[in-house]
Structures are given as C-alpha cells and as structure tokens.
Amino acid sequence: MDNQPHFIYLFLLHSFIITAAGAYAHANSFTKLFVFGDSYVDTGNRNFTASSWNEPYGITYPGRPAGHFSDGHVFSEYFASWMGIKSPTPYRFREIRPIEYGMNFAYGGTGVFETLVAAPNMTIQIGLFEQLLEEKLYTEDDLKSSIALVSVSGNDYNAYIARGESLLGLPAFIVSVVKQLGLDLQRIHDLGVPKVVVMGIQPLGCLPEFTKEYSYEKCNETGNLAALFHNLLLTTVVEELKLENGESEFVMLDMYDAFMSAMKKHEDETGTSELKNTLRPCCTGITSEDSCGDVENGEKKYNVCIDPKMAFFWDSFHPTQAGWHAIYSVLKSSIANLFRTELWGSF
C-alpha cells in the first residue's frame, strides 16, 4: 500500500507523456501554411508606398519597418508558431526567401471584392496560389500537410461606407461579402488544402477609427452589430461547407469574442497607466488629417505612445504585437480543441 501513491504518480506521468507526444505529432503533421486576406495576416506583400513600410511600424519587432501593419508580429505569425513552423514567406519575396513553410498571399487593405487599395483581392490571391500549383512549386504531398488561414477583417465594409453607400443597404452587402467568402473557402479547399481556417470578423465598432468620435471611451454599436451579422452568416456558411466536405475540413475562429476578452483583460491589467484606455491607439496622427507613419517635408506627422507593449491597439485599425499576443492567448484553447491538439511554440 505504501507504494500506491508512487505508482499512481508514475501512471499519470506516463499518460501525460503519451498524450503530449501524440499532440505534438499531430501539430507537426501540418508543415505548410498558406495565408490569404488582409493586413491582419499580411507580413510584407504590399509595396513600399504602404504605411507598413514606414516608421514607426515594426518598432517593437524587428526594430524597423518590415511590411507588417503593427509595431511587431501579426496574427498569421502566431498561428504559424502554433503549427511549429516559421512564418511563411510573403508571395512578393518568393524568389529570394525560403518557401518550405508555405506562402503568404495576403495584402493589407484588401477584401473579397475590390476596395480602396490597389492590390490583389481574395479572388486574385487564390489565383496566384493556383498558378504556383500549376508550376509545380508545391506537390500534392505538400498540400496534404498544409493549412490555409483566411482573414477578412472588414475592408470591404470600409470601402462601402467610404463610397457613400447607404447604411440601409449594408446588410445586403454583408450577405454578398460572406457569400463570396464561402466560395473562396471552397475554392482553396478544392485546390488541395485539407484544412481551411477562416477568421471571423472582429468587433468593428471597437476599432480606434470608430471610437475616436467618442474620445476612445466606448465602441460604436452600429459597427459591432454589423460584425455580429457578418459572423452569424459566416457561421452558417462554414457549417454548410462542413456538411458538403467533411466536419474537420473547415474551421472558424471567433475573433469577435477573442478581441472582446483580450481587451477586457488588457483594461484590467493596465490599471491606472497611460494606456488604461484600451480603445486608444498607441500611434496617432498629429491632426485629424494625419495617420500613423505619415511624413510631410521630412517632418513626422504622428505621435507614438511611450511603451507600445502596454497598448492594445497600434493604429486606427490594427492591434499592437502585445494586442495580437493577447488575442492569440484567448484563442489557444479553442484552436487546440478545434484541431484536437495542444499548442506548441510561442514568441
């Protein structure tokens, strides 16, 4: 009887090792990541005229502008970390950087349709992927161990409003966006990617661009309702795709709740600091006409907070690296459950 606790301990330890080993093997069975979408996952595809290539972008990591729409890492890099691989090379640099971990086709500012940014939309991005497959850059075996990550974070809706379209017509436009997104997800899967992960939309009304009218004190209710409607429709589309293709083939990440939970935690943790107000961005234009990264006649037209690591939002639309890390931390368990594995690798 004296040895019973010791035996139980050894049994539990052995069970944990077996479970962990199986989870690790499962996570590493995915060796390539193909990324599609916008600035939430873009790691350098936009040309050098984009703000992501201007100071102070990249100030936290890598310490200089690197084409990321943040002060450091963006969501796709955290997702690659979960897979246990390096962040895939942007399509733009495919000929000068390694492509063994997949490829990133995302372009900041784009959507499923044409937006205000002259860059490849989702349809064209998938076309670029298809072209590389036709060129045999990736084999069928490569694709069997791959995941696609898809981000549509609201640029279609920003363009809709900027063009002066009626708010009364927004629900119908949201329906058309989600319908096209569903077709895009199916197309990616049909090209041979066995697991397609789509990010739900974040609480649009909580982005600094829409909270500044309230002095960054509260979220815009209309924006959040639009986001919830988008996510409701997308949930239905993903469920239909699962029925048609297989339960495990498509995964939707709840970015809305992840943002909300991460923002609440940030507010609780920052206490009375300068950036207690979670909705206030770290980098802002000096005037209402200026934006983060703007320079005029060699003069900076923006201000940066003392410590970006203490801020949740970086600029008018994007989280800081710390914000993305907080969002990823909230999503860890749900991703683990969706993939029936544990998360390995971290920044």
Side-chain angles (χ1 to χ4, degrees), residues 277-298:
N277 189 341
T278 301
L279 301 178
R280 183 179 297 278
C282 174
C283 185
T284 57
I286 292 177
T287 72
S288 60
E289 302 299 318
D290 303 319
S291 300
C292 181
D294 283 355
V295 176
E296 184 177 310
N297 298 323

Side-chain angles (χ1 to χ4, degrees), residues 59-308:
I59 192 173
T60 300
Y61 178 86
R64 55 177 172 75
H68 301 192
F69 287 84
S70 182
D71 63 313
H73 294 297
V74 295
F75 186 74
S76 55
E77 294 171 287
Y78 285 103
F79 195 89
S81 173
W82 164 71
M83 293 175 62
I85 64 174
K86 294 182 179 179
S87 180
T89 290
Y91 174 80
R92 182 182 180 193
F93 300 114
R94 66 193 181 283
E95 295 182 357
I96 60 175
R97 295 184 187 176
I99 59 169
E100 61 186 293
Y101 301 109
M103 195 166 294
N104 189 320
F105 298 91
Y107 284 78
T110 64
V112 298
F113 300 128
E114 295 302 314
T115 62
L116 304 179
V117 172
N121 64 18
M122 185 76 71
T123 298
I124 297 175
Q125 290 175 28
I126 300 171
L128 296 175
F129 177 48
E130 187 172 13
Q131 183 179 349
L132 294 185
L133 296 181
E134 291 173 355
E135 295 172 359
K136 306 299 182 183
L137 198 62
Y138 295 103
T139 66
E140 288 187 12
D141 285 340
D142 289 331
L143 294 181
K144 287 178 182 177
S145 60
S146 71
I147 296 175
L149 177 65
V150 180
S151 171
V152 174
S153 63
N155 292 314
D156 292 288
Y157 305 136
N158 292 335
Y160 179 89
I161 299 300
R163 291 176 181 137
E165 301 289 350
S166 169
L167 281 177
L168 293 176
L170 183 57
F173 182 66
I174 294 174
V175 170
S176 65
V177 167
V178 175
K179 180 179 179 181
Q180 180 59 47
L181 177 54
L183 296 174
D184 292 334
L185 299 177
Q186 182 66 66
R187 184 181 172 198
I188 293 170
H189 183 267
D190 289 344
L191 288 172
V193 180
K195 181 80 71 173
V196 181
V197 180
V198 60
M199 297 161 60
I201 211 166
Q202 74 284 359
L204 292 172
C206 294
L207 300 180
E209 177 67 16
F210 307 109
T211 62
K212 62 184 178 183
E213 64 177 310
Y214 308 117
S215 301
Y216 305 113
E217 292 293 335
K218 66 175 183 177
C219 298
N220 179 289
E221 185 176 346
T222 301
N224 281 356
L225 286 174
L228 288 170
F229 183 52
H230 171 104
N231 289 334
L232 178 64
L233 295 175
L234 183 57
T235 299
T236 300
V237 166
V238 170
E239 289 304 314
E240 290 173 352
L241 289 171
K242 287 181 179 180
L243 288 174
E244 295 170 4
N245 299 274
E247 183 67 25
S248 64
E249 305 294 290
F250 294 88
V251 171
M252 178 178 168
L253 299 182
D254 188 349
M255 304 304 292
Y256 191 101
D257 282 355
F259 265 73
M260 285 298 199
S261 297
M263 288 190 294
K264 178 64 169 63
K265 183 177 181 182
H266 175 271
E267 186 173 345
D268 293 341
E269 291 179 348
T270 49
T272 59
S273 72
E274 170 201 5
L275 289 162
K276 162 73 173 175
N277 189 341
T278 301
L279 301 178
R280 183 179 297 278
C282 174
C283 185
T284 57
I286 292 177
T287 72
S288 60
E289 302 299 318
D290 303 319
S291 300
C292 181
D294 283 355
V295 176
E296 184 177 310
N297 298 323
E299 180 183 354
K300 296 178 180 179
K301 305 294 288 183
Y302 59 87
N303 293 314
V304 180
C305 64
I306 296 174
D307 186 5

